[in-house]
Amino acid sequence: YTTKFFLPHGSKSDGYESQQPIYLTASNDNPNGATVLAMVDGASCDNIQDFDKSIYMFDGNEDEQVITARQRWKDYKAKGYELVYWQQNDKGRWEEK
């Protein structure tokens, strides 16, 4: 069966930045006062400390992305952040490592 859902989102080009439930950006701005940050495709954030939680997603099959993720892990650990690593298993389920 297929589940279809929509997550309301917008970017600066859509306007009403402070009212967007999910704000898409490639910069460090946070006009909607989000408390959760999701970074994908190698994105980084200079003000990660401004969020309650952050998520860094990468492709574990891409060597370059794995190298970057490991370095960021070391950097965030050195700064005292609490870190948790999740990995998808062969059955498609996510496991905490």
Side-chain angles (χ1 to χ4, degrees):
Y1 86 75
T2 302
T3 301
K4 295 182 181 182
F5 57 91
F6 173 76
L7 295 175
H9 63 279
S11 66
K12 187 172 190 157
S13 65
D14 297 310
Y16 307 100
E17 292 94 337
S18 65
Q19 298 173 26
Q20 300 293 351
I22 298 173
Y23 184 71
L24 306 175
T25 183
S27 65
N28 290 317
D29 53 339
N30 184 12
N32 65 349
T35 59
V36 177
L37 169 68
M39 296 173 281
V40 296
D41 293 333
S44 63
C45 182
D46 295 333
N47 56 330
I48 195 170
Q49 71 282 352
D50 294 344
F51 297 88
D52 294 340
K53 293 186 182 226
S54 63
I55 303 161
Y56 181 74
M57 294 178 272
F58 63 95
D59 185 341
N61 296 311
E62 297 289 332
D63 291 342
E64 192 171 312
Q65 289 188 34
V66 171
I67 291 167
T68 300
R70 286 181 177 154
Q71 185 58 54
R72 289 194 181 168
W73 179 279
K74 290 176 187 175
D75 293 344
Y76 292 145
K77 191 76 166 171
K79 291 178 181 177
Y81 291 109
E82 181 182 336
L83 305 174
V84 179
Y85 177 73
W86 290 79
Q87 184 175 16
Q88 198 169 24
N89 67 23
D90 294 337
K91 295 179 182 178
R93 295 189 176 157
W94 291 94
E95 300 174 336
E96 184 176 344
K97 296 290 182 171

